[in-house]
Amino acid sequence: MIHFVGAGPGAPDLITLRGKKFLEEADVIIYAGSLVNPQLLDYAREGCQVHNSAEMTLEEVLAVMKEAEAAGLTTVRLHTGDPSLYGAIREQMDALEEAGISFDYCPGVSSFSGAAAALNLEYTLPDVSQSVVITRMAGRTPVPEKESIESFAAHHATMVIFLSTGMLQELSLRLIAGGYSADTPAAIVYKATWEDEKALVCTVGTLAETAARNNITKTALMIIGDAVSHSHYQRSELYNPAFATEFRPASRMPEDSGK
Ligand code: SAH
């Protein structure tokens, strides 16, 4: 049995209870050593076999899984954040399906949630943005033409940009070409929820210089949009005393809502 597990964004207590249990019971752990906090390996039992996938190819990862399976062992494949985002899990799952090896999948807290926590942000502020665009600049992995930064920027929704810390000058230019002004609020969150986390508020036009000034070259998310500054927004309807919900009747007037 293989358990795909989301490790969370960094802090070792931000793995789920289920993920931690899988780690504690595993015979073999294959972890993404480039980003997973090695402190999570402290949950492993003594004698557990540990492999760092940062130094392995897909074929090598699969070979370890198949060998473990043949020996009747339980394997945890530990991915950073939530495995569904840039996790390269589908190719592993397809190979396991083909080999007739069963697996399951335990979600994790993504770094984009960790970054919001670092900045006390609500990405979806009423009247500001009700959508979050999660994307990246093209790197070795291409991004489809229809998903250009410019085309997403045109929506002025909240954007969270992964895997692009080394390309911030170009990112700024493309965000501006897409319709954001240079003074649109932005933030860089480096190693969200790790002990050396840095959360820096800047603007679309100053992303590159902010990263350079703080020696940030990788492991960061860029957050773009007015949700970062939260200088104007509407209060929620969900908690508005004038509106009833499925769980709560409407109060008479907001002023009467009781203190
Ligand atoms: N599945 C992961 C993302 C893996 S892609 C998740 O859900 O978070 C790797 C990229 O994620 C990094 O290049 C960086 O952009 C971002 N990232 C991962 N962990 C991070 C963290 N703790 N803080 C900021 N960015 C992080």
Side-chain angles (χ1 to χ4, degrees):
M1 184 70 182
I2 317 283
H3 303 293
F4 288 90
V5 175
D13 57 349
L14 283 178
I15 191 169
T16 63
L17 293 175
R18 185 189 300 180
K20 179 168 178 267
K21 185 161 175 285
F22 284 143
L23 277 183
E24 287 164 347
E25 292 171 354
D27 303 303
V28 178
I29 295 173
I30 309 170
Y31 76 108
S34 50
L35 280 170
V36 168
N37 190 336
Q39 283 180 41
L40 282 160
L41 300 173
D42 293 346
Y43 297 136
R45 62 174 183 74
E46 215 166 295
C48 175
Q49 217 187 96
V50 177
H51 301 265
N52 178 0
S53 65
E55 298 158 356
M56 299 161 77
T57 62
L58 170 63
E59 287 71 16
E60 287 166 343
V61 166
L62 292 169
V64 170
M65 289 175 170
K66 287 177 183 169
E67 199 179 308
E69 193 64 16
L73 303 176
T74 299
T75 300
V76 165
R77 177 67 171 107
L78 191 60
H79 283 274
T80 181
D82 183 74
S84 68
L85 293 170
Y86 311 111
I89 52 167
R90 191 59 248 174
E91 60 193 25
Q92 298 172 72
M93 292 173 169
D94 281 342
L96 292 176
E97 272 168 10
E98 203 174 305
I101 297 175
S102 37
F103 58 85
D104 61 15
Y105 178 170
C106 172
V109 177
S110 174
S111 59
F112 85 85
S113 301
L119 290 158
N120 295 327
L121 283 195
E122 177 172 347
Y123 288 136
T124 53
L125 280 175
D127 257 18
V128 175
S129 172
Q130 289 292 288
S131 313
V132 183
V133 176
I134 289 172
T135 189
R136 59 171 297 172
M137 298 270 282
R140 236 167 316 174
T141 305
V143 171
E145 183 61 38
K146 62 183 169 48
E147 296 171 24
S148 68
I149 296 285
E150 290 86 339
S151 67
F152 287 133
H155 292 276
H156 289 226
T158 305
M159 291 179 75
V160 181
I161 300 167
F162 283 69
L163 292 159
S164 304
T165 321
M167 294 173 262
L168 294 184
Q169 200 72 57
E170 186 188 340
L171 176 64
S172 283
L173 292 173
R174 296 183 61 180
L175 288 166
I176 292 167
Y180 279 116
S181 62
D183 62 0
T184 301
I188 302 176
V189 182
Y190 168 76
K191 291 185 86 175
T193 81
W194 290 67
E195 276 177 16
D196 48 349
E197 166 188 290
K198 288 181 194 167
L200 308 159
V201 173
C202 59
T203 62
V204 164
T206 57
L207 282 167
E209 68 181 77
T210 304
R213 216 178 321 114
N214 292 279
N215 297 318
I216 296 172
T217 56
K218 57 177 189 169
T219 324
L221 291 174
M222 278 56 69
I223 300 158
I224 314 297
D226 287 335
V228 171
S229 64
H230 48 82
S231 54
H232 63 280
Y233 63 93
Q234 287 298 312
R235 63 170 287 170
S236 69
E237 299 298 4
L238 183 61
Y239 295 104
N240 184 339
F243 287 85
T245 76
E246 190 188 340
F247 303 102
R248 177 178 59 71
S251 317
R252 273 156 302 163
M253 288 293 288
E255 299 84 77
D256 295 343
S257 61
K259 287 254 154 66

